[in-house]
Amino acid sequence: MKTQTETAVRNILEMDDEVVKQDIERTIDVLRGRKDETGTEGLVQVLRRKDVMNLLRIHRRTLDYYIDMGYLDRVYGGGKKAIGISRESFIRFTTRRVVRNTGRAKSAA
């Protein structure tokens, strides 16, 4: 980011009395490409059960089985009811490698 751009963004944000100086610095860091340590990184991204069933092309009971086996993680909101499946566990589940042994011995060449 150019110095002129940073100066312009700072000047605009400093004109607003409701914007805290700490938020201005965080915004500049994000614009520079630095990771936001206090922002959305700590949040869990949630996929709806229906979306997961459609993506995996599975039945509700199969999804419950995957959850019970620990392959997918439920995400709970403020109450006792689950609001969906964590995106991280979905990615982990869909990208894991499965090696199957066919029982055939390969001949050495």
Side-chain angles (χ1 to χ4, degrees), residues 5 11 45 80-82 94 96:
T5 306
N11 289 338
Q45 294 178 341
K80 296 179 182 179
K81 187 175 180 182
T94 55
R96 67 182 178 148

Side-chain angles (χ1 to χ4, degrees), residues 15 17-18 27 35 51 63 87 92 94-95 101 106 109:
M15 286 192 294
D17 296 338
E18 295 180 8
T27 302
K35 290 195 174 200
D51 293 337
L63 180 60
R87 180 178 180 269
R92 182 184 65 229
T94 55
T95 58
N101 185 0
K106 293 184 179 180

Side-chain angles (χ1 to χ4, degrees), residues 15-33:
M15 286 192 294
D16 189 344
D17 296 338
E18 295 180 8
V19 178
V20 183
K21 178 132 176 98
Q22 182 182 3
D23 291 341
I24 294 173
E25 295 304 321
R26 205 176 310 152
T27 302
I28 297 297
D29 286 343
V30 170
L31 292 173
R32 287 181 181 155

Side-chain angles (χ1 to χ4, degrees), residues 47 52-53 55-59 62-73 85-98 100:
L47 301 173
V52 173
M53 289 186 299
L55 289 168
L56 296 176
R57 297 181 183 146
I58 58 173
H59 190 270
T62 306
L63 180 60
D64 289 336
Y65 173 77
Y66 289 163
I67 293 168
D68 291 341
M69 295 301 293
Y71 301 141
L72 296 169
D73 300 329
I85 307 299
S86 77
R87 180 178 180 269
E88 180 182 334
S89 71
F90 177 79
I91 291 171
R92 182 184 65 229
F93 178 74
T94 55
T95 58
R96 67 182 178 148
R97 300 183 118 204
V98 177
R100 296 183 181 173

